[in-house]
Amino acid sequence: MTETSTTASGGIPAQNSGSDERRPTGGFLSKVPGEGSFWLAEWAFPVFVACLASGIFTGTHLYYVYHTGVFSDVAVASMLKAGMENGSYGAAAAFGAGFLFARVIEGPMVGILDIGGSLQTGVGIGIPAMLLGAGFTAPLEHFWLAIPVGALLGALIGVAILAIRRATVNSTGGTSTFGADVMMGAGNSAGRYLGPLVIISAATASLPVGIGSTIGAALFYKWQKPLTGGAIIGAMIAGLFFPIPGK
């Protein structure tokens, strides 16, 4: 039994044999591992951001109560510390919230969420400073409350990024890149040249780490991903099994 299909140009029926032939898959490593699974699903993104934000916000709770544990740079954490000492959280709130807003707008365009700017600075410093400045101290005082509050903030950020992305670069019939090609081009063009340097540095550190870095870069090249990420991940995995002794 044969199926008939209509060509887009002239509407002429075309016969298709019932042999059900399929395109060759290309063999081993022709597909990115995990593609189509939960780990690479779009709806899983808010879940990951919620987990990250929950840990970062809880770290700020530890800093607020025990003065240690914050997930941010010393210079940025000092703004929050100054507010804890003199009661003025304006600088920390403005700096952290500004970073968070910028990264939430940037993330949907470039497809990369800057964890340092959006979560560590925004969720870890900016939002806590805003809460403390407004007099809401409970989420920062109680561990059991900091975890769900941080998770809720992260989930909202993840949903906002997906909503902005669907309304812009992924919109139906949309042809504008909204500057994403320029923003991505600048980073990737410079990052391409770092991969070989990472491999050379790993090889000079130790032979097993260098081999691991090379394998990681080769796999990422096979999957059409940036070499730098594969070289770094490969070096880290090799270093886990073949640690470099300290001097």
Side-chain angles (χ1 to χ4, degrees), residues 222-244:
K222 175 67 176 180
W223 299 328
Q224 297 182 355
K225 300 297 181 180
L227 293 181
T228 307
I232 295 175
I233 295 176
M236 293 175 62
I237 295 176
L240 178 65
F241 296 98
F242 303 95
I244 301 175

Side-chain angles (χ1 to χ4, degrees), residues 42 45 49 103-115 161-162 164-165 168-170 177-181 183-185 188 225:
E42 184 181 75
F45 177 73
V49 180
R103 294 301 181 258
V104 168
I105 297 300
E106 177 193 35
M109 306 301 179
V110 304
I112 300 174
L113 178 63
D114 183 1
I115 297 177
I161 290 176
L162 292 181
I164 294 173
R165 187 168 182 82
T168 54
V169 295
N170 283 354
T177 62
F178 294 88
D181 51 347
M183 299 172 72
M184 285 296 293
N188 286 352
K225 300 297 181 180

Side-chain angles (χ1 to χ4, degrees), residues 2-229:
T2 60
E3 297 179 356
T4 60
S5 61
T6 304
T7 60
S9 58
I12 302 174
Q15 300 296 324
N16 183 23
S17 63
S19 59
D20 193 20
E21 295 182 355
R22 298 181 180 180
R23 295 177 58 187
T25 58
F28 182 63
L29 294 181
S30 62
K31 183 179 179 181
V32 178
E35 185 175 357
S37 66
F38 163 79
W39 301 105
L40 297 181
E42 184 181 75
W43 62 269
F45 177 73
V47 178
F48 296 144
V49 180
C51 293
L52 289 170
S54 178
I56 292 172
F57 192 87
T58 306
T60 306
H61 148 74
L62 296 176
Y63 184 76
Y64 182 76
V65 176
Y66 304 105
H67 305 288
T68 184
V70 67
F71 290 92
S72 191
D73 295 339
V74 176
V76 180
S78 63
M79 297 183 183
L80 183 63
K81 182 180 180 181
M84 293 165 54
E85 293 175 349
N86 55 35
S88 177
Y89 295 97
F95 185 82
F99 257 94
L100 176 60
F101 178 78
R103 294 301 181 258
V104 168
I105 297 300
E106 177 193 35
M109 306 301 179
V110 304
I112 300 174
L113 178 63
D114 183 1
I115 297 177
S118 62
L119 301 184
Q120 291 181 246
T121 301
V123 177
I125 301 296
I127 294 180
M130 295 173 63
L131 293 176
L132 293 173
F136 297 100
T137 60
L140 278 306
E141 291 178 344
H142 304 287
F143 181 83
W144 62 269
L145 189 58
I147 294 178
V149 169
L152 177 61
L153 293 173
L156 292 176
I157 292 173
V159 171
I161 290 176
L162 292 181
I164 294 173
R165 187 168 182 82
R166 289 187 177 184
T168 54
V169 295
N170 283 354
S171 60
T172 303
T175 57
S176 175
T177 62
F178 294 88
D181 51 347
V182 177
M183 299 172 72
M184 285 296 293
N188 286 352
S189 296
R192 288 193 188 101
Y193 302 98
L194 296 179
L197 296 179
V198 172
I199 296 175
I200 294 174
S201 299
T204 56
S206 77
L207 181 59
V209 172
I211 295 176
S213 180
T214 304
I215 295 175
L219 291 177
F220 270 50
Y221 177 79
K222 175 67 176 180
W223 299 328
Q224 297 182 355
K225 300 297 181 180
L227 293 181
T228 307

